[in-house]
């Protein structure tokens, strides 16, 4: 694993987007010790708290993304680095957050084929969605809009965790 830490004057927001089971939370946890003064905003954790009033409609997903972006901005203003691990299926959400955050925003597409995500299915959500128990599930009966120009693409079905982390760190600090 990389032994170097990212230590920049400017706080950064690393927005990890991808399907459920693509590896966003795993990547966030692997990045945490390498990024000084860092806090993770995990979509699953936020759904149990600040976003518990939201469902899975398009409107609610847009609102969830807006809230995550606003919380992230508060943390950035406090000089913390922020890693967001959130499906955030709509480009418009990610574009709005990029506009809100500005040059401190870095979009990472955690790309993994749906078939592999379903095989991983750590929470059993794809099985439930296929059985009709979860409606509006991203990748099954609700769309995921792939990023058009992400800052980084990591393919978690092809690269090791270390390789994915290294690719992200290199983008954060080109000198590495």
């Amino acid at each position: 694993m990389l032994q170097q830490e990212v230590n920049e004057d400017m706080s950064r927001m690393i927005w990890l987007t991808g399907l459920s089971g693509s590896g966003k939370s795993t990547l966030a946890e692997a990045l945490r010790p390498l990024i000084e003064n860092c806090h993770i905003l995990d979509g699953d954790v936020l759904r149990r708290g600040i976003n518990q009033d939201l469902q899975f409609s398009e409107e609610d997903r847009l609102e969830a993304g807006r809230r995550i972006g606003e919380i992230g901005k508060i943390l950035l203003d406090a000089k913390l680095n922020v890693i967001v691990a959130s499906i955030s299926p709509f480009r418009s959400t990610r574009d709005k957050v990029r506009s809100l955050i500005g040059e401190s925003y870095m979009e990472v597409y955690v790309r993994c084929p749906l078939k592999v995500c379903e095989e991983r299915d750590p929470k059993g959500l794809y099985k439930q969605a296929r059985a009709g128990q979860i409606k509006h599930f991203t990748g099954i009966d609700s769309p995921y809009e792939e990023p058009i120009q992400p800052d980084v693409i990591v393919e978690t079905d092809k690269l090791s965790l270390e390789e994915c982390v290294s690719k992200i760190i290199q983008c954060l600090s080109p000198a590495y």
Side-chain angles (χ1 to χ4, degrees):
M1 183 63 75
L2 294 170
Q3 295 301 312
Q4 300 154 319
E5 288 186 352
V6 174
N7 183 6
E8 297 181 24
D9 293 332
M10 178 177 70
S11 295
R12 300 292 299 263
M13 175 183 281
I14 303 163
W15 192 285
L16 305 170
T17 178
L19 293 171
S20 179
S22 62
K24 299 175 301 298
S25 296
T26 300
L27 272 170
E29 289 298 335
L31 286 164
R32 183 198 308 256
L34 303 175
I35 301 174
E36 199 171 87
N37 297 321
C38 179
H39 187 78
I40 295 173
L41 294 176
D42 188 287
D44 291 338
V45 173
L46 294 170
R47 186 160 282 286
R48 291 191 299 268
I50 198 157
N51 289 334
Q52 68 181 327
D53 61 318
L54 302 176
Q55 300 301 312
F56 294 98
S57 69
E58 182 173 342
E59 296 78 21
D60 283 357
R61 287 177 182 268
L62 292 169
E63 175 60 15
R66 187 196 69 76
R67 289 179 187 180
I68 295 169
E70 293 289 346
I71 294 167
K73 175 115 175 53
I74 291 168
L75 296 173
L76 287 173
D77 290 346
K79 306 296 184 219
L80 291 173
N81 289 296
V82 180
I83 301 171
V84 174
S86 172
I87 294 170
S88 47
F90 303 113
R91 282 186 205 108
S92 62
T93 297
R94 300 185 304 264
D95 290 345
K96 284 179 185 173
V97 174
R98 184 184 294 271
S99 293
L100 175 69
I101 303 303
E103 66 180 313
S104 296
Y105 179 88
M106 183 175 89
E107 186 175 271
V108 178
Y109 178 21
V110 183
R111 183 171 19 195
C112 188
L114 177 62
K115 181 179 191 253
V116 174
C117 291
E118 284 193 76
E119 289 168 1
R120 291 176 180 171
D121 202 10
K123 301 171 205 137
L125 299 175
Y126 284 104
K127 280 185 183 173
Q128 292 176 50
R130 292 278 186 202
Q133 297 167 344
I134 300 176
K135 301 289 183 204
H136 309 292
F137 192 78
T138 302
I140 303 300
D141 59 353
S142 185
Y144 177 78
E145 299 173 354
E146 293 185 358
I148 295 172
Q149 292 186 316
D151 298 290
V152 183
I153 298 172
V154 292
E155 297 181 275
T156 59
D157 64 316
K158 296 177 182 170
L159 300 174
S160 70
L161 179 59
E162 287 184 355
E163 290 169 321
C164 291
V165 167
S166 176
K167 201 168 176 183
I168 295 166
I169 294 294
Q170 286 174 5
C171 185
L172 277 173
S173 300
Y176 284 102

